Amino acid sequence: MNLFVEQIRDLEDIYLFLIWNEETGQAVIVDPAVPQPALTFLKERSLTPVAILNTHHHPDHVGGNLSLQKVFPKMKIFGAKHDSARIPGITDHISEGEELNLLGVTWKVIDVKGHTLGHIAYHVNQPFVHLGQCQFNHEGRQASGELFIGDTLFGGGCGKLFEGSYADMLVSLNRLQSLPDSTRLWCAHEYTEKNLWVARKILPKDSQLEEHYQQVVALRKEHLPTVPLSLEVERKINPFLRSHDPAVQASVGQKNEIDTFRALRDFRDQF
Ligand SMILES: [Zn+2]
């Protein structure tokens, strides 16, 4: 049984994700900011959503919940227990380690607090079929799994710390790093080019970073998405996944992981 996945431009630089089973016509929606793009996509393909999965409570992730729930009243809305009061229409309150069975596969809930305190990610340990173009394909190998990470990690960057501490976010990013290299990352914003532009200021002599930046600039010139990301690639070029790397530590004048992460985040916040 194949499941399909597609990212849809929700608003300006925001993506929502649709996952569906072609045979049953059932779908799952991840983080709808507004209802219309999801509704259009569902109608075009004659799909019925069984659930919305929310990664966190910010309006650009949950703003479409209630309108979609009105159209599909039987649909469940999953969100973090911690944010039960802040996720509109929530029906299922979930937390770290829980496993959801949707569309015939298991979705594991991972606590990735930092951007907000109730931020969660959803991991599926098998690949979906992506009809769109994957720009970063693990050097030709197929993805081994899918991770929907909301605003925790972005291409070349990470989410702002609105509620959690530096330590919270570092722990969360390190948890993501424990997944296989060939994991595909579905982040909710197209921030990659700007993040890499800032990262180059920190690591001006990093040739892998420079090469990746040039590739991203070329993609964005053609208005092509940089999402999904490859965990393997991000590990090499994303400074926020390299706080343990002596080269990154030296570039911000620090000697340990947490101080390096703090320096990177503070620097990024200046732009
Ligand atoms: Zn957010």
Side-chain angles (χ1 to χ4, degrees):
M1 178 206 57
N2 279 337
L3 291 183
F4 291 81
V5 60
E6 196 51 272
Q7 80 260 52
I8 298 165
R9 178 83 98 58
D10 207 352
L11 289 171
E12 193 52 26
D13 53 10
I14 306 176
Y15 295 120
L16 72 84
F17 306 105
L18 249 300
I19 301 96
W20 71 97
N21 179 329
E22 201 87 342
E23 283 150 41
T24 64
Q26 292 189 329
V28 163
I29 306 167
V30 180
D31 280 352
V34 290
Q36 204 50 54
L39 285 171
T40 304
F41 191 92
L42 293 165
K43 197 168 172 211
E44 278 170 8
R45 294 179 177 266
S46 308
L47 301 172
T48 307
V50 293
I52 288 176
L53 302 181
N54 287 137
T55 59
H56 64 296
H57 72 87
H58 285 159
D60 55 343
H61 296 254
V62 304
N65 281 12
L66 294 181
S67 305
L68 287 162
Q69 197 175 43
K70 222 176 225 175
V71 182
F72 305 103
K74 284 189 200 151
M75 177 185 68
K76 292 180 166 191
I77 297 182
F78 292 86
K81 201 183 218 164
H82 181 277
D83 280 332
S84 291
R86 305 197 283 185
I87 294 180
I90 188 169
T91 61
D92 290 67
H93 311 252
I94 53 177
S95 44
E96 163 63 27
E98 277 186 57
E99 294 186 344
L100 320 175
N101 198 303
L102 296 165
L103 308 178
V105 295
T106 303
W107 305 66
K108 191 158 188 198
V109 179
I110 306 176
D111 177 348
V112 285
K113 69 170 77 64
H115 177 68
T116 65
L117 286 174
H119 201 306
I120 51 176
Y122 299 89
H123 180 237
V124 177
N125 200 15
Q126 67 184 69
F128 298 156
V129 178
H130 181 214
L131 298 178
Q133 226 175 340
C134 274
Q135 305 299 346
F136 313 115
N137 66 350
H138 318 102
E139 290 163 2
R141 285 180 285 117
Q142 218 202 356
S144 63
E146 315 287 355
L147 181 70
F148 297 88
I149 48 171
D151 290 354
T152 298
L153 186 77
F154 297 123
C158 76
K160 268 192 186 162
L161 301 178
F162 284 112
E163 297 174 12
S165 65
Y166 296 99
D168 286 337
M169 191 57 139
L170 184 58
V171 167
S172 295
L173 293 174
N174 283 341
R175 293 198 74 191
L176 302 184
Q177 297 228 51
S178 68
L179 294 169
D181 259 349
S182 47
T183 304
R184 209 157 31 180
L185 308 174
W186 302 85
C187 66
H189 295 282
E190 184 57 66
Y191 293 161
T192 312
E193 186 175 359
K194 176 76 184 278
N195 282 334
L196 293 172
W197 180 80
V198 177
R200 285 164 76 239
K201 293 180 179 298
I202 300 167
L203 297 161
K205 291 181 191 147
D206 188 318
S207 59
Q208 282 195 114
L209 172 61
E210 182 59 27
E211 197 183 311
H212 188 67
Y213 175 68
Q214 295 304 339
Q215 197 182 348
V216 163
V217 168
L219 289 173
R220 296 306 296 151
K221 222 179 229 169
E222 305 290 323
H223 306 287
L224 291 169
T226 64
V227 178
L229 311 167
S230 146
L231 181 55
E232 182 174 36
V233 172
E234 289 303 310
R235 269 200 190 119
K236 288 178 188 157
I237 57 90
N238 190 327
F240 293 94
L241 294 183
R242 298 169 59 195
S243 301
H244 58 277
D245 179 337
V248 177
Q249 295 185 351
S251 71
V252 292
Q254 299 296 337
K255 289 198 169 85
N256 64 52
E257 202 177 5
I258 183 68
D259 290 338
T260 302
F261 178 72
R262 182 184 293 116
L264 290 170
R265 190 58 256 174
D266 289 350
F267 185 75
R268 178 66 184 85
D269 288 339
Q270 294 170 31
F271 296 93

